[in-house]
Every structure is written in structure tokens, then in C-alpha cells.
Amino acid sequence: MDPALIAALAGARHVVMLTGSGTSAESGIPTFRDAQTGLWAQYRPEDLATPEAFERNPRLVWDWYACRRELVEAARPNAGHDAIAELDGLLHRFTLITQNVDGLHQRAGSPTVIEFHGNIMRSRCTAGHPADTVDESGPRPPRCRRCGALLRPDVVWFDEAIPGDVLATATAAVDDCDVLFAVGTSAVVQPAAGLAAQAQRHGALLVEINPAPTPLTEAADFALTGPSGCMLPKLAAALRTRRQSCLT
Ligand code: OAD
């Protein structure tokens, strides 16, 4: 691990980390742009995760999310998620923003997670009511117990706005940070992808972790080329060692 990066992190006032679906790849959850398999091989996620797709065929979209929920339930956080949870205690101030809808950061123990694109384990009514209990035994999608409207996954679809409070909290953290990590994201979906440039505009360091190049790689101050389940534990170990040597 580059000692200059570890020194920068140890001295940082506020570190923000933006994660994408690559962070969950080593938990067996395919990334968004991976080809789908089985029944779903004929569809692209971009064609299912939209308000138009749900309007056209709500059952198809509901069933696709039900299948992804099963995958998430069977998955476990990987070493990358665990290291991120540890970073929270190793850094002066740490804010985690995730584009992932799988809840694996919370299951790994990250105390506060800004869920930029929602969470597939939650549902909500298309007329706006929260759905605390979902009856999966009847017609799909189930209907809202209060108003009878269809339920949908509580996620942000393509062409939908990020909820105002979520966007405000995330951008305030990015405006305040001195280091921004982009981990496991192809950095092509806005507005999340723009958070890196936003941080760099006010002088924050940009650190990328990804096995493949992205539109951010050239502009990154540090590009750690490799899977997050390998790079993040190394990073956490280097910070832990530095902390111990400062204490002794
Ligand atoms: P993508 O599928 O676009 O990108 C996944 C990224 O993870 C790629 O850059 C891969 O190189 C990288 N990757 C693969 N394996 C990895 C590993 N083991 N460790 C680290 N990185 C790895 O997923 P996102 O960038 O998350 O939005 O996509 C962003 C958003 O687009 C998603 O939240 C979703 C999607 O469409 C909505 O649903 C609104």
C-alpha cells in the first residue's frame, strides 16, 4: 500500500467513500452491467429498472426484484464490506455513500450508510405509503393495505430523482471531505458519478479502487487496481499498523 496514501488518510479530516455494485461482486451478486443469467438473460437491468418497465409489466419487474432479493438474502458481506466497516473506526470522520441496494454494508456493521439508490429489501406503495408488511402469497405485485395501489421496490429507477434529503446529505458530505474514494463503480450513472468531480473541484484527493479502468481512473490521485475484497483489507491493515505504531 502506497505510504503517501496512508499518510494522507491518517491526516484526513473527513473521508467519504462512494461504493458501487463491484463492492458486492465478491459476495456473489452480479454487478449491474454483468450479463444476466437463466430466465433473465434476455433482459438488461437498464430495461427492467425503469418506471416505464413497471408501468408496462409490473409483474415482470416485481419478479425480477424478488429474484434479486433472494440472491441478496443468500449472500454474505465480503472482506471488502468488513474492511469498510472497520475504516469507520480507523479514520477521523468517515461517511459511506452506496449506490448498492443490497444492504450488505449494514450487515457488515457499517454504522451509517447513505443509500443513494434505496434498498431492494424494502417496498413502498406507488401512491407514496410505506409498506411495512408485504403479502407475497397473492397476486404480484402485492397491493398497498391502505389504498390498494400497487407496491414497488423502494429503489431509485433510471430517470427517477434521488430523494431530496438523501442527495442533500450526500452532497454536503462530499463538499466537506478532503478524500473521496470511488470503489467498485463504473462511474457512469449520474448524479452519483458526479460526486467525484464535485469533491475534486474543492481540492479533495480522489482514490479509486477497481480492477478495471473507469472514466475516473486518469483523474484519480491514487488508483488501486484490483478487487475491493483484496485492496480494502490491505488498506485497513496499513492504517491499523500506522495507528498502533503512533500509539507505542
Ligand atoms: P456497474 O455494474 O456499472 O459497475 C461495476 C463496477 O465494478 C465496474 O467498474 C467493475 O470493473 C467493478 N468491479 C467488478 N468486480 C469488482 C470487484 N471485485 N471489486 C471492485 N470493483 C469491481 O455498477 P455501478 O457503478 O454500481 O443504478 O452502477 C451504478 C448504478 O447503475 C447502480 O446503482 C444502478 C445502475 O444502473 C440504479 O439502479 C439507478
Side-chain angles (χ1 to χ4, degrees):
M1 201 46 62
D2 189 330
L5 171 59
I6 299 307
L9 290 172
R13 198 177 39 79
H14 187 177
V15 175
V16 170
M17 182 173 282
L18 170 69
T19 62
S21 60
T23 317
S24 295
E26 289 153 272
S27 294
I29 300 175
T31 69
F32 238 83
R33 267 149 266 275
D34 275 344
Q36 302 210 90
T37 52
L39 270 182
W40 302 102
Q42 57 183 308
Y43 302 101
R44 294 183 321 150
E46 295 93 318
D47 298 331
L48 293 168
T50 70
E52 293 75 29
F54 188 72
E55 215 164 284
R56 223 177 15 248
N57 194 340
R59 179 164 170 177
L60 178 79
V61 173
W62 183 268
D63 285 352
W64 182 59
Y65 277 98
C67 182
R68 291 183 78 90
R69 274 202 297 274
E70 272 177 28
L71 199 66
V72 165
E73 268 166 352
R76 286 163 173 264
N78 63 56
H81 295 109
D82 293 343
I84 293 171
E86 188 186 354
L87 285 181
D88 211 287
L90 288 172
L91 295 166
H92 182 64
R93 183 165 175 217
F94 182 69
T95 300
L96 178 58
I97 305 170
T98 188
Q99 296 168 90
N100 299 344
V101 292
D102 55 30
L104 286 179
H105 286 304
Q106 290 91 330
R107 281 168 61 191
S110 282
T112 313
V113 186
I114 300 174
E115 292 183 317
F116 213 66
H117 290 161
N119 190 316
I120 54 167
M121 305 315 281
R122 291 192 305 262
S123 301
R124 66 182 162 86
C125 145
T126 43
H129 299 119
D132 312 324
T133 50
V134 177
D135 178 9
E136 296 270 10
S137 63
R140 303 190 307 271
R143 289 187 176 269
C144 176
R145 282 170 192 264
R146 288 184 225 189
C147 71
L150 291 180
L151 296 186
R152 56 164 283 180
D154 191 5
V155 297
V156 175
W157 281 329
F158 288 101
D159 302 329
E160 289 187 321
I162 308 297
D165 55 336
V166 173
L167 188 61
T169 312
T171 50
V174 170
D175 282 339
D176 182 61
C177 78
D178 36 21
V179 180
L180 185 127
F181 275 86
V183 181
T185 176
S186 59
V188 293
V189 175
Q190 296 295 352
L195 296 177
Q198 186 184 330
Q200 280 196 306
R201 272 198 293 280
H202 68 77
L205 281 183
L206 175 61
V207 186
E208 179 173 65
I209 300 181
N210 201 309
T214 77
L216 300 181
T217 311
E218 256 184 40
D221 298 285
F222 298 92
L224 310 184
T225 309
S228 48
C230 166
M231 306 311 284
L232 283 163
K234 283 187 189 165
L235 188 81
L239 276 167
R240 214 183 302 128
T241 306
R242 184 187 161 104
R243 194 187 220 203
Q244 275 155 2
S245 67
C246 289
L247 292 175
T248 51

